[in-house]
């Protein structure tokens, strides 16, 4: 159990760092100051995990240790120091956002299982953990939430959760299940954006 918990904590830290950078990059595009960037980084980094933990009936993960707040501060420092280098990378925020989505999806699944939830609940929790922070970020930045875009986002988290479940059911070690779920989320996101793959769009029935 300790081994399981340790892996989950490492994944949550990496996800926090990746998502924080994503939020700060979005804030930079809106010309926010450093504090505004930190707030956006915090929102996207802990938003989904906070909703998940409240639904699981436990203290939000970031309230148990200042580690995550410090992690977001490091992400802010990273963006400030290497802003020019990040600027040269097209769609750098997209890469960090995708990494955060994959990492937090796996973290959400693992924590839900740790609390005795069935896999179908764990997959939903993984999706919430990965996607809800981005929704909060977009609301703060007055942008249309990314989950409502045509590009595949939340469904990538669901697909990664399904692969995690199948790998676990096949008896794979937790490391392999985690990596498999993470990679599926990232690959689906990258391919969907690269080739313009999206779900069908709802169409309003025109009145005659």
């Amino acid at each position: 159990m300790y081994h399981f918990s340790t892996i989950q904590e490492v994944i949550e830290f990496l996800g926090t760092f990746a998502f924080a950078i994503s939020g700060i990059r979005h804030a930079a595009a809106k010309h926010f100051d450093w504090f505004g960037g930190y707030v956006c980084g915090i929102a996207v980094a802990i938003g989904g995990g906070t909703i998940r933990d409240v639904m699981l009936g436990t203290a939000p993960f970031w309230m148990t240790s200042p580690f995550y707040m410090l992690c977001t501060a490091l992400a802010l420092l990273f963006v400030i120091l290497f802003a020019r280098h990040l600027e040269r990378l097209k769609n750098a925020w997209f890469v960090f956002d995708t990494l955060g989505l994959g990492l937090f999806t796996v973290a959400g699944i693992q924590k839900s299982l740790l609390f005795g939830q069935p896999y179908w609940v764990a997959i939903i929790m993984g999706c919430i953990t990965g996607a809800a922070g981005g929704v909060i970020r977009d609301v703060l930045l007055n942008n249309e939430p990314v989950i409502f875009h045509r590009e595949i986002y939340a469904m990538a988290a669901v697909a990664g959760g399904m692969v995690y479940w199948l790998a676990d059911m096949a008896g794979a070690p937790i490391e392999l299940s985690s990596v498999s779920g993470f990679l599926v989320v990232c690959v689906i996101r990258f391919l969907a954006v690269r080739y313009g793959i999206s779900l069908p769009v709802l169409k309003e029935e025109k009145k005659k």
Side-chain angles (χ1 to χ4, degrees), residues 12 46-65 68-69 111 115:
E12 282 198 341
I46 71 173
T50 299
I51 295 174
R52 172 204 65 207
D53 289 346
V54 169
M55 295 178 70
L56 291 175
T58 186
F61 69 101
W62 57 270
M63 295 178 65
T64 61
S65 170
Y68 301 99
M69 296 297 177
K111 191 160 190 177
F115 276 74

Side-chain angles (χ1 to χ4, degrees), residues 14-64:
L14 294 175
T16 298
F17 189 76
F19 257 174
I21 290 178
S22 169
I24 294 166
R25 288 285 295 155
H26 276 79
K30 291 280 187 174
H31 304 291
F32 282 24
D33 62 15
W34 289 7
F35 179 75
Y38 183 80
V39 171
C40 287
I42 282 289
V44 68
I46 71 173
T50 299
I51 295 174
R52 172 204 65 207
D53 289 346
V54 169
M55 295 178 70
L56 291 175
T58 186
F61 69 101
W62 57 270
M63 295 178 65
T64 61

Side-chain angles (χ1 to χ4, degrees), residues 37-203:
Y38 183 80
V39 171
C40 287
I42 282 289
V44 68
I46 71 173
T50 299
I51 295 174
R52 172 204 65 207
D53 289 346
V54 169
M55 295 178 70
L56 291 175
T58 186
F61 69 101
W62 57 270
M63 295 178 65
T64 61
S65 170
F67 197 58
Y68 301 99
M69 296 297 177
L70 295 174
C71 178
T72 304
L74 288 175
L76 176 63
L77 182 62
F78 178 84
V79 172
I80 292 172
L81 292 177
F82 299 102
R84 294 181 180 179
H85 300 284
L86 290 176
E87 193 64 32
R88 295 173 185 171
L89 301 176
K90 294 183 179 180
N91 297 322
W93 64 264
F94 166 74
V95 175
F96 286 112
D97 187 67
T98 299
L99 295 177
L101 177 65
L103 290 165
F104 266 19
T105 296
V106 172
I109 292 173
Q110 291 182 344
K111 191 160 190 177
S112 299
L113 294 175
L114 194 64
F115 276 74
Q117 297 296 330
Y119 254 108
W120 68 271
V121 173
I123 292 173
I124 293 174
M125 289 295 184
C127 183
I128 290 174
T129 307
V135 174
I136 297 173
R137 174 202 64 207
D138 291 337
V139 170
L140 289 175
L141 295 174
N142 198 30
N143 293 331
E144 181 183 6
V146 68
I147 64 170
F148 298 146
H149 293 182
R150 291 186 62 185
E151 66 183 58
I152 295 176
Y153 191 78
M155 287 304 299
V158 173
M162 293 294 294
V163 169
Y164 185 104
W165 172 57
L166 292 174
D168 186 61
M169 293 295 291
I174 184 175
E175 293 85 356
L176 180 58
S177 298
S178 300
V179 171
S180 298
F182 167 75
L183 289 178
V184 167
V185 174
C186 293
V187 169
I188 289 178
R189 276 284 288 155
F190 288 137
L191 291 179
V193 172
R194 173 65 177 82
Y195 296 104
I197 302 171
S198 63
L199 297 175
V201 177
L202 289 172
K203 296 181 179 180

